[in-house]
Amino acid sequence: MAVTVLYYARLADKAGREQEQVTLAPQTTLPELYEMLSRQYDFGCGHQDLEVIINEQLANWSDTLRDGDSVAFMRPIAGG
């Protein structure tokens, strides 16, 4: 399964890119994807500190990834 990972702000700085295509084993979970990338790029924060977005929609960490999805990990945005 292939997904496009989009990086913003600090994560883009750490990864040295704004996006990349990642090939994953079937059934890879969002936390597993994030942990794999975090080990590779030393993001320095756990997935529980971030929001996850799939195909431009706010998602849950328990949602299922599908081939062709785009995934972004972002710090929660506070409003006021």
Side-chain angles (χ1 to χ4, degrees):
M1 154 172 74
V3 299
T4 300
V5 180
L6 307 172
Y7 299 106
Y8 297 99
R10 182 172 174 244
L11 297 183
D13 291 341
K14 289 281 198 170
R17 65 190 75 214
E18 294 180 358
Q19 71 177 34
E20 71 178 306
Q21 190 87 6
V22 178
T23 302
L24 303 170
Q27 308 302 317
T28 299
T29 66
L30 285 162
E32 289 169 340
L33 170 60
Y34 178 77
E35 294 305 319
M36 176 187 78
L37 296 168
S38 184
R39 282 191 306 273
Q40 181 176 350
Y41 298 121
D42 191 27
F43 289 147
C45 61
H47 77 271
Q48 65 278 4
D49 299 322
L50 303 171
E51 299 284 354
V52 62
I53 297 147
I54 300 175
N55 300 326
E56 300 180 12
Q57 301 274 329
L58 189 60
N60 293 310
W61 284 98
S62 60
D63 288 350
T64 302
L65 283 169
R66 292 181 174 79
D67 188 49
D69 281 348
S70 67
V71 180
F73 305 107
M74 299 177 66
R75 292 264 184 206
I77 299 172

